[in-house]
Amino acid sequence: MEHVPPPAEELALLDRELARLDARRSHLLVRRAWLLSVLTPPAAPPAPQFAPFGPPPRAPFAVPAARAGNAPGGAQNVLLTLGGLLLAVAAIAFTLVSWGHMGIAGRSAVLGAVTLAALAAPVALLRRGLSATAESLGALACLLMVLDAYALHRVAVPEAGAVGFTAASSAVLAVLWGGYGLLLGRLRLPLPLAVVTAQLPLVLWAWSAGAGASGFGWALLGTAALDCVIAVRGRGGAVRTTACAGAWATGLWGLLVALAQSVAARSVPDAVEPAALLLAGAAIALFGAWRAPRGLAVAGGVLAGLCGVAAVGGVLCAGMDRGWSVPVYLLCGAALLTAVRAPLPEPVGRGLGWAAASVGTTAVLVSAPLAGLSLLGPVSQLGRVWAGAPDGGVRGALGVTGSAWSATAAAPVTLLAAAALLGAAYRWWDGLVRVAGPVPRPGVRGAAGAVASAVCWAGLVTLPAVLGFSYPAAVAAQSALVCGTLAVAVVRLRRGPEAVGWTVLVCGLAGAVGVGFLSLAEESATYPVFAMALVALGAVAVLLDGPADGASRAAQAVAAGGAVVCATVLVRAAGASWGMAGHRAAPLLLVVTAATVLLGARLRGRPVAPVIEIAGAVPAVLAVLMAVPDRPFLALVLALCGVLAAGTAVRAERRPAAGYLAVALFVLATWVRLTASGVSAPEAYTLPVTVPALAVGVLRRRRDPSASSWTAYGAGLAATLVPSLFAAWFDPDWQRPLLLGTAALVITLAGARLRLQALLLLGGAVLALDAVHELAPYVVQVVGALPRWLPPALAGALLLAVGATYEQRLRDARRLKESVGRMR
């Protein structure tokens, strides 16, 4: 007889159907119990009635209750922790304090029995699901094993050395705890504790054997190798994490020991053993990185690459002058790049590439301070301008002489070698990508070219000082370097905005500043150097006047500004050569400003024109500052600046700003001239200017009612009011302040009546300042007579009143602003 379906399949169907019915029955029972509780709520929750078979009912969205030990609460954890600590304290006290009250058999029996009980208890507890309690007793058992080892040393082998016995016992304990953790896999503490304890045996054995630095290094690396194996093949995340941390800690310490020995080696035989240590560390790092996640794999590749460079470089540099060890390490780092193509995982290869890059960066940074000294050292010539060529050639100009330069002979070699390597990578980038695979990123090429340019320039800058050039030869070499650098920058930037072009331009400008300071030592060097810089920067500005992109405009503006600065230095140097005092040479600087005004008019509409005009204002400001000690020359300089501003105001696009500036400069020049002439009544000189100026303003307003009151009356009123105000502040009599205040009051009222902004604001400001001057002595007397607490109290009350009516005061201020703004 054939069964349809077959018996096995039919049995499976029946089992599934029964399970479904049980689940449905359990759900209905839970629902029934809930309905009963809603209809007739009892005093205590009703106990659900389960069927005699099947699993207990479970609500569809109910959270299962935690079993004891699987998810212990906070109180349970606290109790278990306190209990474990108390038992540990009791065990320690028994071992250390009460040990002498029992015989050797009793002591051994007690500790052995307690340890065995503590080791066996977690087995039964884990079977009953009490994992938290099992963890506590497992930790206590581990502590008792440590006490057993201590007792064994005190009783059985007291003659053994403490360090050697600790090494042996730590090895035994690590093995025992590892086996115990593997047998009871649900305990979380024994395995990580075994890994931590495994860090001690080799190091302690090296200590007990009196090993030297190499012995400690081998012990640390051996421990790191063991940790690496555990981190790769260990069970559980906690074990692997602990082993990984131990591998990094012990491995780095061992490698630092080996590196210190390698650097200190004076001969090749002395450097062999540290090199072997470093290579062993590299092998361990590669082993771990091969199987590690991406981040750790890259870090392992970096460490392996650095170890390999240190090992090979240490042997090659043994017995060599320390100054020349940097280029050797740099070449070793470059050779490391050949290992990138080896059959390694991509993260490890990337780590090797980063290691080579870090070696090169370190070599450049070690050599870069010499370039900074060559660039900034000439600043010391500011204190001895035209004092003659310094002793010691260019080294004397840099402020560092003697044997200090002998240790830096390798710096230019290092910088130029690094630049050559980076330049080769930039030039043949596609081939490098084909050889190195995915390690070099496409976006790095521009950075490599820019860094190569900067490092090459730094190496060339240091050559004159390292080679001990004479002062004239150094100035000539640095000037040629500036010209060549700026030429390369122009060629690169004309092709388009790129990092290399900008880097070369910045280097050229920095070199121009350095050689400019260097040339200040001799008069005969200053003129050719700054003339060269003027021509070179002017050529850069002209040659970059091509594509209208932002980068070219910025480079052109920087070059044009630098050319104006060079011209200013040349003019000032000419004044000094002619023996002119500072204030007498001030008008000469305005020649540069006049040239920029004419050039700005010639380049009207070009983006570089505003930059040239703004740069041309710098020598004008310097001329004013130089003329301050002599007031007649100051008035002359201000008047000349006013003429230049008026000439600029002829152009319609510059008229608003330059026109006001010209008026202000002319008025200021007049005041300074009157002060220099000892005039005590400036009104006699200003009123003849003010009256015609106001008449012209009235005519202007009649012809053009929309003209501003500032344009019509501002200059004329300021020509008299401001000098009179200054005279009134220093006048001890009362007549001038009274007359000035009366005139200012009339002007203010006229401005308010006629709604003229210039009259209102100028008259009001002068009236307020005149009143402050007259009332200040009386205010001081009143404040001195008041109690000291009253001024702060009044100030506080004022602040409170303003704060309370802040919104109203704000609206008033806005209305006042709008009213003044509507005036002409």
Side-chain angles (χ1 to χ4, degrees):
M1 178 179 179
E2 295 183 357
H3 291 272
V4 181
E9 185 177 348
E10 184 179 2
L11 179 61
L13 290 173
L14 291 177
D15 289 340
R16 286 197 295 269
E17 186 66 21
L18 290 173
R20 188 185 64 79
L21 291 175
D22 288 341
R24 180 63 178 168
R25 185 174 185 277
S26 299
H27 173 69
L28 293 176
L29 287 174
V30 171
R31 184 67 179 174
R32 179 178 180 278
W34 179 80
L35 292 173
L36 289 175
S37 66
V38 171
L39 295 175
T40 57
Q49 299 179 0
F50 304 130
F53 55 88
R58 181 175 177 182
F61 302 101
V63 179
R67 297 179 61 188
N70 287 339
Q76 182 185 14
N77 284 334
V78 172
L79 292 176
L80 291 174
T81 304
L82 289 177
L85 288 176
L86 290 176
L87 289 175
V89 170
I92 294 173
F94 170 76
T95 304
L96 299 180
V97 179
S98 301
W99 188 255
H101 300 290
M102 300 179 64
I104 184 172
R107 292 179 299 212
S108 302
V110 170
L111 274 178
V114 173
T115 303
L116 291 176
L119 289 172
V123 179
L125 292 173
L126 289 174
R127 290 177 180 175
R128 301 178 63 86
L130 302 174
S131 58
T133 308
E135 288 285 354
S136 299
L137 287 179
L140 177 62
C142 294
L143 176 62
L144 290 175
M145 293 176 72
V146 176
L147 296 177
D148 287 335
Y150 170 75
L152 182 63
H153 176 256
R154 292 292 303 272
V155 175
V157 284
E159 67 281 358
V163 178
F165 184 83
T166 304
S169 60
S170 60
V172 173
L173 288 176
V175 173
L176 293 177
W177 286 339
Y180 187 66
L182 292 175
L183 289 176
L184 301 179
R186 293 174 60 184
L187 291 182
R188 292 173 292 182
L189 180 63
L191 286 178
L193 187 60
V195 175
V196 172
T197 308
Q199 313 302 309
L200 302 177
L202 292 178
V203 178
L204 293 178
W205 273 331
W207 185 7
S208 64
S214 298
F216 273 99
W218 285 113
L220 288 168
L221 288 181
T223 306
L226 177 62
D227 290 331
C228 243
V229 174
I230 297 174
V232 171
R233 303 185 179 276
R235 177 191 298 179
V239 174
R240 289 194 295 270
T241 302
T242 306
C244 185
W248 279 102
T250 56
L252 288 178
W253 275 112
L255 292 175
L256 287 176
V257 171
L259 181 62
Q261 285 187 300
S262 178
V263 172
R266 297 299 179 185
S267 62
V268 174
D270 295 338
V272 171
E273 187 172 7
L277 273 171
L278 291 169
L279 291 177
I284 295 171
L286 282 178
F287 171 78
W290 203 291
R291 298 162 180 82
R294 180 177 180 82
L296 289 176
V298 173
V302 171
L303 183 61
L306 293 177
C307 290
V309 170
V312 178
V315 174
L316 295 177
C317 295
M320 185 184 296
D321 185 7
R322 294 301 177 190
W324 290 96
S325 61
V326 177
V328 173
Y329 281 108
L330 175 64
L331 295 178
C332 292
L336 179 63
L337 290 175
T338 59
V340 175
R341 193 57 179 171
L344 298 172
E346 188 269 338
V348 179
R350 192 173 296 279
L352 293 177
W354 279 109
S358 63
V359 172
T361 303
T362 304
V364 171
L365 292 178
V366 169
S367 305
L370 183 61
L373 177 62
S374 301
L375 187 66
L376 300 178
V379 178
S380 61
Q381 299 304 315
L382 289 175
R384 50 186 305 274
V385 176
W386 291 0
D391 297 333
V394 68
R395 295 180 178 179
L398 298 179
V400 180
T401 57
S403 61
W405 294 94
S406 61
T408 61
V413 177
T414 302
L415 294 173
L416 294 176
L421 292 173
L422 289 170
Y426 176 77
R427 176 64 179 83
W428 295 288
W429 186 261
D430 295 335
L432 177 64
V433 171
R434 287 194 300 270
V435 172
V439 174
R441 296 181 179 179
V444 182
R445 182 184 182 185
V451 175
S453 304
V455 173
C456 179
W457 171 81
L460 295 175
V461 164
T462 60
L463 280 178
V466 172
L467 298 178
F469 281 13
S470 63
Y471 177 76
V475 172
Q478 298 286 25
S479 301
L481 178 61
V482 169
C483 293
T485 305
L486 293 177
V488 174
V490 170
V491 173
R492 302 295 302 192
L493 290 175
R494 284 176 66 88
R495 298 178 182 175
E498 58 175 1
V500 176
W502 272 105
T503 304
V504 175
L505 177 63
V506 172
C507 292
L509 294 176
V513 173
V515 73
F517 283 122
L518 185 63
S519 68
L520 295 178
E522 276 192 342
E523 182 179 0
S524 59
T526 302
Y527 288 104
V529 166
F530 279 95
M532 176 275 302
L534 173 61
V535 173
L537 292 174
V540 171
V542 172
L543 293 174
L544 291 180
D545 190 17
D549 57 90
S552 297
R553 289 179 180 178
Q556 187 183 24
V558 172
V564 173
V565 172
C566 293
T568 304
V569 174
L570 286 173
V571 172
R572 179 66 185 94
S577 297
W578 294 336
M580 301 174 67
H583 65 277
R584 292 184 179 274
L588 291 178
L589 295 179
L590 298 180
V591 175
V592 180
T593 305
T596 58
V597 170
L598 296 176
L599 190 58
R602 177 68 178 82
L603 299 175
R604 181 182 303 181
R606 300 285 184 86
V608 75
V611 177
I612 294 176
E613 293 175 356
I614 294 173
V618 174
V621 174
L622 292 177
V624 172
L625 294 177
M626 290 170 59
V628 166
D630 190 277
R631 283 183 288 180
F633 267 91
L634 178 60
L636 174 62
V637 170
L638 289 172
L640 293 175
C641 290
V643 172
L644 293 175
T648 304
V650 173
R651 298 160 52 190
E653 68 274 12
R654 299 285 186 263
R655 186 168 300 157
Y660 287 117
L661 179 61
V663 172
L665 288 172
F666 282 133
V667 172
L668 186 59
T670 304
W671 298 341
V672 173
R673 182 67 259 184
L674 294 176
T675 305
S677 300
V679 174
S680 59
E683 294 81 5
Y685 299 89
T686 58
L687 284 175
V689 177
T690 296
V691 173
L694 293 178
V696 172
V698 171
L699 294 176
R700 171 70 184 276
R701 290 274 296 174
R702 284 182 179 179
R703 293 182 178 180
D704 185 12
S706 63
S708 170
S709 61
W710 289 100
T711 304
Y713 309 119
L717 290 175
T720 295
L721 288 178
V722 177
S724 298
L725 179 62
F726 278 101
W729 267 70
F730 299 99
D731 193 343
D733 297 329
W734 58 272
Q735 294 88 353
R736 186 189 301 275
L738 177 61
L739 293 175
L740 179 62
T742 303
L745 178 60
V746 172
I747 293 172
T748 303
L749 295 176
R753 176 68 180 83
L754 301 175
R755 302 186 61 79
L756 296 177
Q757 190 180 101
L759 277 66
L760 179 64
L761 295 182
L762 278 175
V766 172
L767 179 61
L769 291 174
D770 187 65
V772 168
H773 173 263
E774 292 302 309
L775 296 177
Y778 304 103
V779 173
V780 172
Q781 293 178 4
V782 171
V783 172
L786 292 176
R788 294 186 179 273
W789 58 268
L790 190 56
L794 293 176
L798 177 63
L799 292 177
L800 287 176
V802 173
T805 60
Y806 175 75
E807 295 295 336
Q808 182 62 36
R809 302 287 78 77
L810 188 61
R811 287 193 294 269
D812 295 341
R814 288 173 179 169
R815 282 197 296 268
L816 178 61
K817 178 183 176 182
E818 293 172 357
S819 300
V820 174
R822 286 193 294 267
M823 294 182 179
R824 298 300 301 171

